[in-house]
Amino acid sequence: MPDDAPRRPLRIGSCSGFYGDRLSAMREMLEGSADGQGLDVLTGDYLAELTMLILGKDTMRDPRLGYARTFVRQVEDCLGLALERGVRIVSNAGGLNPAGLADALREVARGLGLDPVVAHVEGDDLRPRAAELGLDGALTANAYLGGFGIAAALRAGADVVVTGRVTDASLVVGPAVAHHGWTPTSYDELAGAVVAGHVLECGTQATGGNFSGFLSLPAGSLDRPLGFPLAEVAADGSCVVTKHDGTGGAVTVDTVTAQLVYEIQSAHYLGPDVTTRLDTVRLEQVGPDRVAVTGVRGVAPPARLKVCVNTLGGYRNTMELVLTGLDVEAKADWVRAQLDAVLTASSVTWTRTALPAADADTEEGASCLLRCTVKDADAAPVGKAFTGPLVELALGSYPGFTLTSPPGPPTPYGVYRPALVDRAAVEHTVVHADGRREVVPDPPGPLDPDPDADHVGRRPSPYPAPIDTITRRVPLGTFVHARSGDKGGDANLGLWVAHDGSPARADRVTWLTKLITPRRVRELVPEAAALPDDAIDVYVLPHLGAVNVVLRGLLGEGVAASTRFDPQAKGLGEWVRSRHVQVQEGLL
């Protein structure tokens, strides 16, 4: 094939969406479909903001750790099969110690009598320069790298490439760059690969996992473990998302949309290689379990790189009390008053589950939970100084006093915050199998100095739409799907109109886009009412029939520090779908 001829699509699959995902998935993906179709590349995403904190604590105990140890077990089981089938493995499981992971894999390979070419990518870890870069107190500080380091390792012949904190999508971008020969200014192609990577990065979330429309999936598709997704990435950056034949779940326009709107911010998806215009993404069902992704456009990436910073925030502890029967609110008020007078922690948060039903026919149905969470910079105020006074009330407080568990010790928690650094502060480096070090150059300019400045995709107000007619009050989820998640202390809520065959879908999309304003979001999510006026933004993704809502600060200081009932906002979308709204009769 001439060098300038388009190459066949790259077939790239996922076998992990987080540190703790299904161990058998690597083998399942390598063994392939019943029709014999295999993969070119297998990726696995093991990192999240919380994972970096966990790995940081690992390195405090043992500097030789800091990588995802389950990945080593998977490779030990599957390396021979991958080499036999010519499948390259690319993963960010290196975490805070990609060099250590690469050495561990070589040791495993020697024990198996194998000799793979193992390379790693580093340069993201900024801890040695944290003070210099204004990242004081960082337990971890990692810049998000792009895919060109991975591409360089693959072009040099690597069978296995492990990285630190590259972006999740870079695990797909890098192999696609190596396969298709894209350059750093192939913005549309790179953006298409970013979308493919974003769809694949959370594993089975693209095949029906965490999907609000799970009841609409084909009969029998949920009777077996969900298959992991794969993408066939073409030379122009378009792709087809699918899965191996015979695996559980389904790949539909709605399951792919669910992952596309997950944990995004605006209609601009910023990355180190390209800024992707999510408002240009088009999806089409082109066959059973086959969704085409086309039309993606990209522009120059930001001039600075995002950094994931984790610091130690202090210590926390939680205890739950059971409130049963009558006078529940008065019981809660009494015990709160008793404890608030003696607790010394700097932060005390009380939450209560819904009031029990009247005349319940089980004791559990007649009960609710009162939860107390305390936090402090020191361990003492959240240790026995917290649990002791609570236990002492066992015989001297409200009737029916009981706890759901024995007292526990305080636990340390971390605080995540994003930061930005100049690209010159980061040396993106590939360490090849022979020890040769290759520095990956920054993309050519001009780069975007302020990629959020034009607020592309923000919902206009007022929104041009017909005036509502006769309406009926029904749950928002009657024909609207949702997916939600977290980015540090911010919550992301994606809402889109289901592809259920209704001839009114276009009108439903207009109605949804008109409905979801920052003011309406505060009504649907009452706890958001206390957020500042500019804390809620709504962005329109027209080709997806979707809106994306960002609620800044809803989760406090983020997952590890949040005292919210749902600290990662995983259930936020399902709650909002259950809220009742006025819907025009003609749309139902």
Side-chain angles (χ1 to χ4, degrees):
M1 178 185 294
D3 288 344
D4 59 350
R7 295 180 179 271
R8 65 170 178 79
L10 179 73
R11 196 169 162 89
I12 183 166
S14 162
C15 71
S16 177
F18 69 101
Y19 189 8
D21 213 337
R22 197 162 81 221
L23 281 173
S24 61
M26 182 177 286
R27 175 165 289 278
E28 293 166 13
M29 292 299 289
L30 288 170
E31 289 177 343
S33 294
D35 61 7
Q37 278 194 300
L39 299 172
D40 299 305
V41 178
L42 182 61
T43 70
D45 177 18
Y46 293 78
L47 301 184
E49 289 88 355
L50 180 60
T51 313
M52 300 304 288
L53 176 64
I54 293 169
L55 296 177
K57 292 178 180 178
D58 283 351
T59 61
M60 292 174 68
R61 293 191 298 269
D62 185 344
R64 295 170 298 179
L65 299 179
Y67 54 80
R69 285 171 280 176
T70 54
F71 178 73
V72 179
R73 292 167 55 191
Q74 291 175 299
V75 171
E76 184 173 19
D77 175 56
C78 299
L79 181 59
L81 180 59
L83 294 174
E84 175 188 330
R85 301 201 171 185
V87 180
R88 292 173 160 186
I89 298 174
V90 177
S91 174
N92 61 12
L96 295 174
N97 189 7
L101 175 56
D103 287 341
L105 296 179
R106 294 185 186 104
E107 182 178 349
V108 163
R110 285 192 294 270
L112 296 171
L114 302 172
D115 188 25
V117 178
V118 180
H120 74 272
V121 177
E122 61 185 30
D124 60 296
D125 191 348
L126 302 180
R127 286 177 297 177
R129 303 180 57 196
E132 172 191 345
L133 297 172
L135 308 175
D136 297 332
L139 172 63
T140 70
N142 295 79
Y144 287 82
L145 303 181
F148 279 86
I150 295 170
L154 293 172
R155 283 196 299 262
D159 299 306
V160 181
V161 183
V162 293
T163 76
R165 182 67 280 192
V166 298
T167 69
D168 301 342
S170 294
L171 300 175
V172 170
V173 173
V177 168
H179 181 76
H180 292 300
W182 299 333
T183 70
T185 55
S186 301
Y187 293 141
D188 289 346
E189 293 87 345
L190 292 170
V194 166
V195 171
H198 182 50
V199 172
L200 264 57
E201 71 186 48
C202 290
T204 55
Q205 281 197 167
T207 63
N210 289 334
F211 174 45
S212 60
F214 71 101
L215 292 176
S216 67
L217 294 179
S221 62
L222 304 182
D223 293 345
R224 52 195 182 280
L226 301 185
F228 277 71
L230 60 94
E232 299 163 354
V233 183
D236 64 356
S238 65
C239 73
V240 173
V241 179
T242 183
K243 66 183 185 69
H244 285 325
D245 293 340
T247 58
V251 178
T252 70
V253 170
D254 282 329
T255 66
V256 173
T257 300
Q259 179 56 29
L260 276 177
V261 301
Y262 181 59
E263 293 185 346
I264 59 175
Q265 298 290 290
S266 69
H268 267 171
Y269 195 67
L270 308 183
D273 296 320
V274 65
T275 294
T276 301
R277 289 283 304 272
L278 295 175
D279 56 342
T280 65
V281 180
R282 295 179 182 270
L283 303 180
E284 181 184 0
Q285 194 84 41
V286 294
D289 293 321
R290 293 182 65 81
V291 172
V293 183
T294 60
V296 186
R297 296 291 176 261
V299 295
R304 294 191 292 172
L305 293 177
K306 181 181 175 181
V307 180
C308 168
V309 180
N310 280 296
T311 59
L312 291 177
Y315 297 84
R316 63 183 294 165
N317 207 341
T318 298
M319 294 197 74
E320 288 182 337
L321 301 98
V322 181
L323 308 171
T324 304
L326 304 176
D327 306 318
V328 163
E329 292 177 287
K331 292 171 181 175
D333 290 343
W334 185 16
V335 74
R336 285 187 57 169
Q338 289 176 302
L339 284 169
D340 284 341
V342 296
L343 296 182
T344 59
S346 59
S347 170
V348 179
T349 302
W350 293 91
T351 57
R352 178 180 54 75
T353 59
L355 293 173
D359 194 24
D361 58 5
T362 66
E363 183 177 341
E364 185 173 0
S367 303
C368 66
L369 299 178
L370 179 66
R371 181 180 299 109
C372 183
T373 300
V374 292
K375 296 193 300 183
D376 200 275
D378 298 319
V382 301
K384 290 187 177 180
F386 164 56
T387 60
L390 199 155
V391 171
E392 290 170 1
L393 291 175
L395 304 181
S397 187
Y398 66 88
F401 182 107
T402 187
L403 301 171
T404 60
S405 63
T411 57
Y413 72 89
V415 175
Y416 160 79
R417 73 174 190 272
L420 295 172
V421 297
D422 292 335
R423 287 178 180 264
V426 179
E427 191 169 85
H428 186 173
T429 304
V430 183
V431 182
H432 294 282
D434 60 2
R436 178 173 59 90
R437 300 178 66 84
E438 178 182 352
V439 176
V440 178
D442 289 333
L447 304 182
D448 193 337
D450 189 5
D452 280 333
D454 57 357
H455 302 293
V456 169
R458 181 170 286 173
R459 177 193 177 281
S461 183
Y463 188 77
I467 297 173
D468 291 346
T469 56
I470 299 174
T471 62
R472 182 147 50 100
R473 193 165 178 80
V474 297
L476 178 62
T478 300
F479 56 76
V480 174
H481 287 313
R483 173 64 63 78
S484 57
D486 67 300
K487 281 293 181 185
D490 300 341
N492 149 248
L493 171 64
L495 300 166
W496 75 99
V497 174
H499 292 78
D500 59 3
S502 170
R505 186 172 189 276
D507 291 334
R508 287 175 170 182
V509 170
T510 299
W511 170 85
L512 176 67
T513 311
K514 177 185 177 184
L515 175 76
I516 302 301
T517 64
R519 179 179 177 180
R520 182 58 61 94
V521 171
R522 294 177 191 274
E523 295 173 0
L524 294 171
V525 185
E527 62 188 285
L531 297 178
D533 291 343
D534 60 353
I536 300 176
D537 282 318
V538 180
Y539 297 90
V540 181
L541 303 175
H543 303 310
L544 301 180
V547 294
N548 181 59
V549 181
V550 182
L551 300 94
R552 295 184 175 85
L554 183 71
L555 309 180
E557 294 181 297
V559 52
S562 178
T563 57
R564 190 176 181 272
F565 166 69
D566 177 18
Q568 291 182 279
K570 299 298 187 185
L572 177 64
E574 290 304 290
W575 176 32
V576 170
R577 288 183 71 239
S578 74
R579 300 303 305 271
H580 285 221
V581 295
Q582 299 292 139
V583 181
Q584 298 170 66
E585 290 280 1
L587 301 182
L588 296 172

